[in-house]
Amino acid sequence: MPEPIQTPVPAADELAAQVLLLAQSRLTADLRFLSSALEQLKPIPVPALDTLFAESDVITLHTNATEENHHLIDAKAIETMKPGVTIINTARGKLIDSDALIAGLESGKIGAAGLDVLEIENGLYYYNRMGDVIPNPELAVLRSMPNVILTDH
């Protein structure tokens, strides 16, 4: 059997040092460019929430749950949205009124939803529920919809 071909390879720590040096010089150059570009930017006005709802094709939520934003997306908000809007919630379940979400999906006003949180989800995830009857009608309805993706948080 022939001997394996030996290729000179720098020591791992030497290779890592070269990669870090290269990354550092690249990052420094990018930061210098970015810094001068940022100085030229003007503040971007943030539109009202109603305007965002009315003009967005995709609405994705990334915030904590507070009393002020409980059911941020409710039936009234959904009425103002574009037909066929996609809603993604990877934040907190209480941000969306589940009944309003289901009604919007059933009517077609909401075209799709991606959720890794639900309004009522305590005790659903992180347990083996194989064969259990899960007393959560919202979960059952959402799981039955082909235009809804549910994952654990």
Side-chain angles (χ1 to χ4, degrees):
M1 182 174 238
E3 292 279 326
I5 298 173
Q6 298 293 325
T7 316
V9 177
D13 55 349
E14 182 185 333
L15 184 60
Q18 290 174 3
V19 168
L20 287 173
L21 185 60
L22 179 63
Q24 182 182 15
S25 64
R26 172 70 188 200
L27 182 60
T28 303
D30 287 351
L31 287 176
R32 275 190 236 123
F33 169 77
L34 184 60
S35 176
S36 63
L38 286 174
E39 289 173 3
Q40 298 173 21
L41 290 178
K42 305 248 186 280
I44 300 170
V46 177
L49 198 53
D50 291 340
T51 303
L52 285 172
F53 286 157
E55 296 178 0
S56 297
D57 295 310
V58 177
I59 297 170
T60 178
L61 304 175
H62 308 274
T63 188
N64 58 339
T66 65
E67 288 182 29
E68 293 79 27
N69 65 17
H70 183 261
H71 286 178
L72 177 70
I73 295 183
D74 57 9
K76 182 181 174 194
I78 291 170
E79 285 175 22
T80 66
M81 293 178 188
K82 285 174 120 175
V85 66
T86 297
I87 296 176
I88 300 170
N89 186 5
T90 60
R92 297 289 179 253
K94 295 179 189 265
L95 297 174
I96 299 178
D97 177 350
S98 294
D99 293 331
L101 175 69
I102 291 168
L105 285 159
E106 290 175 337
S107 72
K109 179 70 171 188
I110 299 172
L115 311 167
D116 76 352
V117 289
L118 294 173
E119 185 173 10
I120 302 170
E121 65 181 6
N122 287 344
L124 289 180
Y125 297 111
Y126 311 112
Y127 301 98
N128 181 358
R129 299 289 185 211
M130 189 78 115
D132 291 356
V133 175
I134 299 174
N136 188 317
E138 290 87 7
L139 175 63
V141 170
L142 290 167
R143 286 183 61 188
S144 73
M145 296 180 167
N147 54 345
V148 175
I149 296 175
L150 291 166
T151 65
D152 55 338
H153 187 62

PDB file of all heavy atoms in Angstrom, residues 74-89:
ATOM      1  N   ASP A  74     -54.152  42.733  16.646  1.00  0.00           N
ATOM      2  CA  ASP A  74     -55.492  42.288  16.986  1.00  0.00           C
ATOM      3  C   ASP A  74     -56.372  42.421  15.748  1.00  0.00           C
ATOM      4  O   ASP A  74     -55.862  42.709  14.645  1.00  0.00           O
ATOM      5  CB  ASP A  74     -56.056  43.094  18.162  1.00  0.00           C
ATOM      6  CG  ASP A  74     -56.075  44.601  17.906  1.00  0.00           C
ATOM      7  OD1 ASP A  74     -55.819  45.040  16.758  1.00  0.00           O
ATOM      8  OD2 ASP A  74     -56.344  45.357  18.855  1.00  0.00           O
ATOM      9  N   ALA A  75     -57.662  42.218  15.880  1.00  0.00           N
ATOM     10  CA  ALA A  75     -58.571  42.272  14.726  1.00  0.00           C
ATOM     11  C   ALA A  75     -58.517  43.631  14.034  1.00  0.00           C
ATOM     12  O   ALA A  75     -58.501  43.709  12.801  1.00  0.00           O
ATOM     13  CB  ALA A  75     -59.995  41.939  15.162  1.00  0.00           C
ATOM     14  N   LYS A  76     -58.452  44.692  14.813  1.00  0.00           N
ATOM     15  CA  LYS A  76     -58.399  46.043  14.232  1.00  0.00           C
ATOM     16  C   LYS A  76     -57.124  46.238  13.416  1.00  0.00           C
ATOM     17  O   LYS A  76     -57.153  46.770  12.302  1.00  0.00           O
ATOM     18  CB  LYS A  76     -58.495  47.084  15.353  1.00  0.00           C
ATOM     19  CG  LYS A  76     -58.497  48.503  14.864  1.00  0.00           C
ATOM     20  CD  LYS A  76     -58.566  49.480  16.020  1.00  0.00           C
ATOM     21  CE  LYS A  76     -58.405  50.898  15.508  1.00  0.00           C
ATOM     22  NZ  LYS A  76     -58.146  51.848  16.577  1.00  0.00           N
ATOM     23  N   ALA A  77     -55.997  45.802  13.961  1.00  0.00           N
ATOM     24  CA  ALA A  77     -54.720  45.932  13.244  1.00  0.00           C
ATOM     25  C   ALA A  77     -54.746  45.102  11.963  1.00  0.00           C
ATOM     26  O   ALA A  77     -54.284  45.558  10.905  1.00  0.00           O
ATOM     27  CB  ALA A  77     -53.567  45.506  14.141  1.00  0.00           C
ATOM     28  N   ILE A  78     -55.282  43.893  12.039  1.00  0.00           N
ATOM     29  CA  ILE A  78     -55.324  43.014  10.874  1.00  0.00           C
ATOM     30  C   ILE A  78     -56.187  43.615   9.767  1.00  0.00           C
ATOM     31  O   ILE A  78     -55.846  43.501   8.591  1.00  0.00           O
ATOM     32  CB  ILE A  78     -55.798  41.598  11.287  1.00  0.00           C
ATOM     33  CG1 ILE A  78     -54.707  40.939  12.143  1.00  0.00           C
ATOM     34  CG2 ILE A  78     -56.119  40.744  10.062  1.00  0.00           C
ATOM     35  CD1 ILE A  78     -55.126  39.647  12.828  1.00  0.00           C
ATOM     36  N   GLU A  79     -57.256  44.292  10.131  1.00  0.00           N
ATOM     37  CA  GLU A  79     -58.110  44.956   9.128  1.00  0.00           C
ATOM     38  C   GLU A  79     -57.325  45.967   8.303  1.00  0.00           C
ATOM     39  O   GLU A  79     -57.597  46.150   7.118  1.00  0.00           O
ATOM     40  CB  GLU A  79     -59.274  45.678   9.811  1.00  0.00           C
ATOM     41  CG  GLU A  79     -60.358  44.776  10.316  1.00  0.00           C
ATOM     42  CD  GLU A  79     -61.428  45.538  11.081  1.00  0.00           C
ATOM     43  OE1 GLU A  79     -61.562  46.775  10.875  1.00  0.00           O
ATOM     44  OE2 GLU A  79     -62.118  44.920  11.896  1.00  0.00           O
ATOM     45  N   THR A  80     -56.337  46.612   8.912  1.00  0.00           N
ATOM     46  CA  THR A  80     -55.580  47.657   8.204  1.00  0.00           C
ATOM     47  C   THR A  80     -54.462  47.094   7.331  1.00  0.00           C
ATOM     48  O   THR A  80     -53.872  47.828   6.548  1.00  0.00           O
ATOM     49  CB  THR A  80     -54.965  48.664   9.202  1.00  0.00           C
ATOM     50  OG1 THR A  80     -53.976  47.994   9.989  1.00  0.00           O
ATOM     51  CG2 THR A  80     -56.014  49.275  10.106  1.00  0.00           C
ATOM     52  N   MET A  81     -54.168  45.798   7.486  1.00  0.00           N
ATOM     53  CA  MET A  81     -53.037  45.204   6.769  1.00  0.00           C
ATOM     54  C   MET A  81     -53.367  44.911   5.313  1.00  0.00           C
ATOM     55  O   MET A  81     -54.529  44.777   4.941  1.00  0.00           O
ATOM     56  CB  MET A  81     -52.617  43.905   7.471  1.00  0.00           C
ATOM     57  CG  MET A  81     -52.045  44.131   8.838  1.00  0.00           C
ATOM     58  SD  MET A  81     -51.639  42.554   9.631  1.00  0.00           S
ATOM     59  CE  MET A  81     -51.236  43.126  11.269  1.00  0.00           C
ATOM     60  N   LYS A  82     -52.299  44.810   4.514  1.00  0.00           N
ATOM     61  CA  LYS A  82     -52.438  44.426   3.109  1.00  0.00           C
ATOM     62  C   LYS A  82     -53.013  43.017   3.007  1.00  0.00           C
ATOM     63  O   LYS A  82     -52.681  42.153   3.825  1.00  0.00           O
ATOM     64  CB  LYS A  82     -51.059  44.410   2.422  1.00  0.00           C
ATOM     65  CG  LYS A  82     -50.476  45.742   2.116  1.00  0.00           C
ATOM     66  CD  LYS A  82     -49.064  45.540   1.594  1.00  0.00           C
ATOM     67  CE  LYS A  82     -48.918  46.090   0.217  1.00  0.00           C
ATOM     68  NZ  LYS A  82     -47.541  46.022  -0.274  1.00  0.00           N
ATOM     69  N   PRO A  83     -53.822  42.773   2.005  1.00  0.00           N
ATOM     70  CA  PRO A  83     -54.305  41.404   1.808  1.00  0.00           C
ATOM     71  C   PRO A  83     -53.129  40.466   1.515  1.00  0.00           C
ATOM     72  O   PRO A  83     -52.225  40.801   0.763  1.00  0.00           O
ATOM     73  CB  PRO A  83     -55.217  41.514   0.587  1.00  0.00           C
ATOM     74  CG  PRO A  83     -55.563  42.959   0.483  1.00  0.00           C
ATOM     75  CD  PRO A  83     -54.402  43.718   1.063  1.00  0.00           C
ATOM     76  N   GLY A  84     -53.139  39.307   2.155  1.00  0.00           N
ATOM     77  CA  GLY A  84     -52.090  38.325   1.929  1.00  0.00           C
ATOM     78  C   GLY A  84     -50.826  38.549   2.729  1.00  0.00           C
ATOM     79  O   GLY A  84     -49.808  37.897   2.479  1.00  0.00           O
ATOM     80  N   VAL A  85     -50.854  39.442   3.706  1.00  0.00           N
ATOM     81  CA  VAL A  85     -49.675  39.741   4.519  1.00  0.00           C
ATOM     82  C   VAL A  85     -49.151  38.476   5.196  1.00  0.00           C
ATOM     83  O   VAL A  85     -49.917  37.572   5.518  1.00  0.00           O
ATOM     84  CB  VAL A  85     -50.008  40.833   5.568  1.00  0.00           C
ATOM     85  CG1 VAL A  85     -51.020  40.333   6.587  1.00  0.00           C
ATOM     86  CG2 VAL A  85     -48.758  41.351   6.252  1.00  0.00           C
ATOM     87  N   THR A  86     -47.847  38.419   5.382  1.00  0.00           N
ATOM     88  CA  THR A  86     -47.218  37.343   6.141  1.00  0.00           C
ATOM     89  C   THR A  86     -46.829  37.898   7.499  1.00  0.00           C
ATOM     90  O   THR A  86     -46.213  38.958   7.584  1.00  0.00           O
ATOM     91  CB  THR A  86     -45.969  36.808   5.413  1.00  0.00           C
ATOM     92  OG1 THR A  86     -46.373  36.247   4.170  1.00  0.00           O
ATOM     93  CG2 THR A  86     -45.242  35.760   6.236  1.00  0.00           C
ATOM     94  N   ILE A  87     -47.198  37.164   8.548  1.00  0.00           N
ATOM     95  CA  ILE A  87     -46.871  37.589   9.910  1.00  0.00           C
ATOM     96  C   ILE A  87     -45.937  36.556  10.529  1.00  0.00           C
ATOM     97  O   ILE A  87     -46.216  35.357  10.501  1.00  0.00           O
ATOM     98  CB  ILE A  87     -48.140  37.737  10.768  1.00  0.00           C
ATOM     99  CG1 ILE A  87     -49.022  38.855  10.198  1.00  0.00           C
ATOM    100  CG2 ILE A  87     -47.782  38.024  12.221  1.00  0.00           C
ATOM    101  CD1 ILE A  87     -50.340  39.030  10.913  1.00  0.00           C
ATOM    102  N   ILE A  88     -44.822  37.053  11.070  1.00  0.00           N
ATOM    103  CA  ILE A  88     -43.850  36.193  11.739  1.00  0.00           C
ATOM    104  C   ILE A  88     -43.688  36.700  13.161  1.00  0.00           C
ATOM    105  O   ILE A  88     -43.416  37.881  13.374  1.00  0.00           O
ATOM    106  CB  ILE A  88     -42.492  36.208  11.005  1.00  0.00           C
ATOM    107  CG1 ILE A  88     -42.674  35.709   9.577  1.00  0.00           C
ATOM    108  CG2 ILE A  88     -41.459  35.389  11.770  1.00  0.00           C
ATOM    109  CD1 ILE A  88     -41.478  35.900   8.696  1.00  0.00           C
ATOM    110  N   ASN A  89     -43.875  35.809  14.120  1.00  0.00           N
ATOM    111  CA  ASN A  89     -43.701  36.184  15.521  1.00  0.00           C
ATOM    112  C   ASN A  89     -42.706  35.237  16.176  1.00  0.00           C
ATOM    113  O   ASN A  89     -43.005  34.082  16.419  1.00  0.00           O
ATOM    114  CB  ASN A  89     -45.038  36.142  16.276  1.00  0.00           C
ATOM    115  CG  ASN A  89     -44.896  36.664  17.705  1.00  0.00           C
ATOM    116  OD1 ASN A  89     -43.839  37.142  18.100  1.00  0.00           O
ATOM    117  ND2 ASN A  89     -45.969  36.575  18.467  1.00  0.00           N
TER     118      ASN A  89
END
